[in-house]
């Protein structure tokens, strides 16, 4: 259910806890959750989201990596050139 997934993502973002960043980063690339909701939620958590999101840069899924890069760029994290 997309509405339930969106509400769960919003609730995690409102927690503002490092554990929320880890849980949200796991949702990057998950087809059951709107990517925009997850990326916006991670960005709203600020710098503490950078570590869990950066850990997803090695994910085998291209969509996960693309969304992780987007979040990190929006957080102002300098990414190495590839």
């Amino acid at each position: 259910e997309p509405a339930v997934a969106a509400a769960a993502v919003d609730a995690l973002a409102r927690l503002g806890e490092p554990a929320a960043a880890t849980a949200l980063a796991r949702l990057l690339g998950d087809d059951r959750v709107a990517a925009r909701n997850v990326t916006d939620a991670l960005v709203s958590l600020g710098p503490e989201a950078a570590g869990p999101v950066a850990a997803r840069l090695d994910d085998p899924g291209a969509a996960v990596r693309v969304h992780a890069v987007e979040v990190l760029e929006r957080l102002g994290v300098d990414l190495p050139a590839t």
Side-chain angles (χ1 to χ4, degrees), residues 35-67:
R36 177 62 46 212
N37 288 0
V38 175
T39 56
D40 288 348
L42 284 161
V43 171
S44 77
L45 292 174
E48 66 263 13
V53 172
R56 301 305 309 268
L57 291 173
D58 292 329
D59 193 275
V64 174
R65 295 189 309 270
V66 166
H67 294 304

Side-chain angles (χ1 to χ4, degrees), residues 1-71:
E1 182 80 28
V4 173
V9 168
D10 290 341
L12 283 170
R14 283 194 303 273
L15 285 176
E17 299 287 331
T22 300
L24 287 166
R26 286 189 200 123
L27 294 175
L28 288 170
D30 188 324
D31 292 338
R32 298 169 296 174
V33 182
R36 177 62 46 212
N37 288 0
V38 175
T39 56
D40 288 348
L42 284 161
V43 171
S44 77
L45 292 174
E48 66 263 13
V53 172
R56 301 305 309 268
L57 291 173
D58 292 329
D59 193 275
V64 174
R65 295 189 309 270
V66 166
H67 294 304
V69 167
E70 178 186 348
V71 171

